[in-house]
Amino acid sequence: MTTPSTRKPGTTTKRGKRSALTGPAALAALAGVVSAAVVLAVAELAGAFFSSRATPLVALGSTFIDFTPPWLKDFAIATFGTNDKAALFVGMGLTILLLACVLGIVAYRKWFLGAAGVLVMGVVIVASVVTRAGVSPLDALPSLLGTLAGLLVLRSLIGKLWRLDETQSAPHDGGAAPVDRPATTRRAFFTATGITAAAAAVAATGGRLLGAARSNVAAARDALRLPAPAKPAPAVPAGVQSKTPGVTPWLTPNKDFYRIDTALSVPEVDVQSWELRVHGMVEQEVRLNFQDLLDAQLIESHVSLTCVSNPVGGNLAGNAKWLGMPIRDVLKMARPTAGADMVLSTSVDGFTASTPLEVLQDGRDAMLAIGMNGEALPLEHGYPVRMVVPGLYGFVSATKWVVDLEVTRFADNKAYWTERGWSERGPIKTMARVEVPKSFAKVPAGKVALGGTAWAQTRGISKVEVQIDDGPWTAAVLAAEASVVTWRQWSYEWEAAPGPHYIKVRATDGTGELQTDQRADPVPDGASGWQSIMVTVE
């Protein structure tokens, strides 16, 4: 005869001792992880029918970026470079994993607390979704469905654990061998979690495939044929490439061009519905569609871009041939009024940049770019339209997926990064870097080829000098200069003696001003200082 058990879930009898990996806390944590996977998978599947910014990971990650302090953003880029977004997703995944484990254990011990925790997380996700730019309230539906599905799965799996506890605490029948119900129940739990995890993986994969199939943006981009420019780029002179083997190509291929922006999910903008609004302190509001740009007097120009987060000697710089409509022509249509001194550009994902008005009206060929290196802009570089402004760091000028230009004043409006402690204006500083050999490289004694790149957009480079250890500064051989808005490469032949050596480089711009040796971090207006590397000559 048996008696009702009074044992609480989570306790064990001497017979019911379990290892840490199969104990109730571990199984509850596993239930939490599987339930979190269901939340994300169902939201991913449902999100295929909504905006790509409606999925939880993208919304949460974008919200995190919005609240990232400058020092942390700078640390992430300095540490991970163009892999900063991948690093963010990994960090988010680990955080979600930990929270899921905790919520699973809490739900096992106190269901209502665990359920409340899941609902709070759902509210956070929904809030992150609906506060994104260009997202409608209906875009919260995938997160709501995912949260509900995850809650139901968690309840089901936790219920199995409770039944497992009740079975394990049941007394034996008259001294007979114990009934093997615990193993069967545990097997049922693992079977349920396995099936659920597999279903979540299928749902997530299906959501991604379905989203890709429903999107025709990539196909439209591939089919786009760019018109010939009214003002083609000047011919690139011979000899722009450094003679030193291994120096980065003078023209950066699209696939190798650095990408630093705040978009975790690349916006997919339908070229047929794209529109640029020019408004604010203007006499005439202007609206342009993509066909208007195709029909405009387009210009073509080689321009080097640099990220403000680029450290001394860093690789967050690139040179490409851009095709687009001069922004000064757009502003002539709008006719800015007296007192305006800034244009606040806005991306489809809500990012903003503050560009001095006079820079967009002078002769430096700032443009609304639609082409890059002879083809339509790649999606990740701003398709269908982005801004390219020679001489300014990207955080105040290079707005991708641009949809709005507001003519205003610096005193009245703040851009995305200005609100986070960065400067209002971002003229690019003179910089030279050593690319060959790499720092800490080992090279043979004798003639060693050094080489690299220097830039001072809109001013040009007139001299690059190299210093070995504490020796004299010696002029390097400059490659040909295409224009003052592109970088310039250099080479130097060094007679190297055995031992450790330090190589330092500096540049002088086209106005005769020497690159400063004062070290400064990227925050708030770009890094500065002379790069120094160490090599060992054998």
Side-chain angles (χ1 to χ4, degrees):
M1 179 172 132
T2 61
T3 58
S5 172
T6 58
R7 184 176 158 274
K8 295 180 180 179
T11 62
T12 59
T13 63
K14 290 183 179 180
R15 181 183 60 82
K17 289 183 178 179
R18 283 157 283 180
S19 70
L21 295 178
T22 60
L27 297 182
L30 177 60
V33 171
V34 172
S35 300
V38 169
V39 173
L40 299 177
V42 171
E44 185 76 35
L45 181 59
F49 300 92
F50 295 82
S51 166
S52 62
R53 296 186 293 279
T55 56
L57 281 178
V58 172
L60 286 171
S62 299
T63 301
F64 176 80
I65 289 177
D66 287 347
F67 289 96
T68 298
W71 65 266
L72 183 55
K73 180 256 187 188
D74 189 54
F75 170 79
I77 293 178
T79 304
F80 303 108
T82 53
N83 295 315
D84 58 332
K85 293 178 178 63
L88 174 59
F89 276 122
V90 170
M92 286 175 56
L94 293 175
T95 302
I96 291 172
L97 180 66
L98 178 61
L99 288 175
C101 290
V102 171
L103 286 177
I105 294 172
V106 171
Y108 169 72
R109 294 176 177 171
K110 296 287 185 181
W111 166 250
F112 289 109
L113 289 179
V118 173
L119 292 176
V120 168
M121 288 303 300
V123 169
V124 171
I125 294 172
V126 169
S128 297
V129 169
V130 298
T131 54
R132 305 313 306 159
V135 173
S136 71
L138 283 179
D139 287 322
L141 189 57
S143 295
L144 291 173
L145 292 175
T147 300
L148 177 60
L151 193 60
L152 293 174
V153 168
L154 182 62
R155 175 67 185 189
S156 174
L157 294 179
I158 292 298
K160 291 183 182 298
L161 289 181
W162 288 337
R163 290 192 294 275
L164 172 62
D165 279 330
E166 292 170 356
T167 303
Q168 289 184 323
S169 63
H172 298 181
D173 290 333
V179 179
D180 192 26
R181 286 179 295 180
T184 303
T185 306
R186 187 177 292 111
R187 188 179 304 117
F189 172 80
F190 282 117
T191 299
T193 55
I195 292 174
T196 304
V202 170
T205 303
R208 289 188 176 276
L209 294 176
L210 184 58
R214 284 172 54 83
S215 174
N216 60 1
V217 172
R221 183 260 174 195
D222 293 339
L224 179 63
R225 297 294 177 262
L226 298 174
K231 177 186 172 185
V236 177
V240 294
Q241 182 67 40
S242 170
K243 296 180 180 180
T244 301
V247 170
T248 189
W250 181 82
L251 188 69
T252 309
N254 290 355
K255 65 181 180 61
D256 297 329
F257 208 95
Y258 77 95
R259 180 198 164 197
I260 297 293
D261 52 54
T262 61
L264 280 184
S265 174
V266 175
E268 296 188 348
V269 182
D270 182 1
V271 71
Q272 299 300 322
S273 61
W274 178 86
E275 183 181 66
L276 177 73
R277 180 187 178 212
V278 186
H279 61 107
M281 298 176 65
V282 296
E283 294 182 14
Q284 176 67 50
E285 180 172 312
V286 174
R287 292 179 181 267
L288 299 174
N289 59 35
F290 194 72
Q291 189 61 47
D292 292 328
L293 266 62
L294 295 177
D295 295 338
Q297 296 292 298
L298 302 181
I299 60 173
E300 193 177 52
S301 179
H302 289 94
V303 178
S304 296
L305 300 183
T306 308
C307 180
V308 70
S309 296
N310 194 45
V312 173
N315 62 355
L316 299 180
N319 184 52
K321 182 172 69 174
W322 308 92
L323 171 72
M325 180 179 183
I327 296 178
R328 60 175 174 269
D329 290 354
V330 178
L331 293 174
K332 283 180 183 177
M333 299 179 194
R335 302 189 300 278
T337 57
D341 62 5
M342 184 259 275
V343 172
L344 187 72
S345 55
T346 303
S347 167
V348 70
D349 68 345
F351 171 83
T352 56
S354 56
T355 310
L357 178 60
E358 69 272 12
V359 168
L360 300 177
Q361 294 177 308
D362 63 19
R364 71 181 66 194
D365 285 344
M367 69 175 80
L368 295 169
I370 62 173
M372 181 179 183
N373 288 335
E375 61 183 68
L377 285 174
L379 269 63
E380 63 272 18
H381 288 295
Y383 175 86
V385 184
R386 66 168 292 166
M387 290 175 60
V388 172
V389 182
L392 297 184
Y393 288 118
F395 82 110
V396 295
S397 67
T399 303
K400 302 173 184 175
W401 315 287
V402 62
V403 293
D404 190 276
L405 299 180
E406 180 184 1
V407 180
T408 180
R409 303 191 309 162
F410 281 104
D412 297 334
N413 285 283
K414 301 294 183 185
Y416 184 93
W417 286 117
T418 305
E419 292 178 331
R420 290 158 176 80
W422 296 74
S423 63
E424 290 183 334
R425 305 163 188 259
I428 294 176
K429 299 178 181 179
T430 303
M431 185 65 66
R433 70 184 182 194
V434 181
E435 299 173 17
V436 179
K438 300 296 184 184
S439 189
F440 302 112
K442 294 181 179 181
V443 298
K447 294 186 184 298
V448 175
L450 311 181
T453 306
W455 56 81
Q457 289 92 320
T458 71
R459 304 182 302 280
I461 294 293
S462 62
K463 184 192 297 184
V464 171
E465 297 170 289
V466 176
Q467 183 188 53
I468 307 298
D469 299 322
D470 294 323
W473 286 97
T474 307
V477 176
L478 288 177
E481 182 179 65
S483 76
V484 296
V485 298
T486 62
W487 57 19
R488 193 171 188 181
Q489 298 190 330
W490 59 271
S491 58
Y492 181 83
E493 192 173 80
W494 170 38
E495 191 66 41
H501 296 279
Y502 288 90
I503 302 171
K504 192 175 292 185
V505 65
R506 68 184 185 185
T508 300
D509 71 16
T511 70
E513 184 174 348
L514 179 65
Q515 173 186 348
T516 180
D517 63 341
Q518 298 299 308
R519 299 289 296 203
D521 292 329
V523 180
D525 59 359
S528 66
W530 297 341
Q531 184 190 12
S532 179
I533 69 169
M534 192 276 280
V535 298
T536 300
V537 179
E538 299 178 327

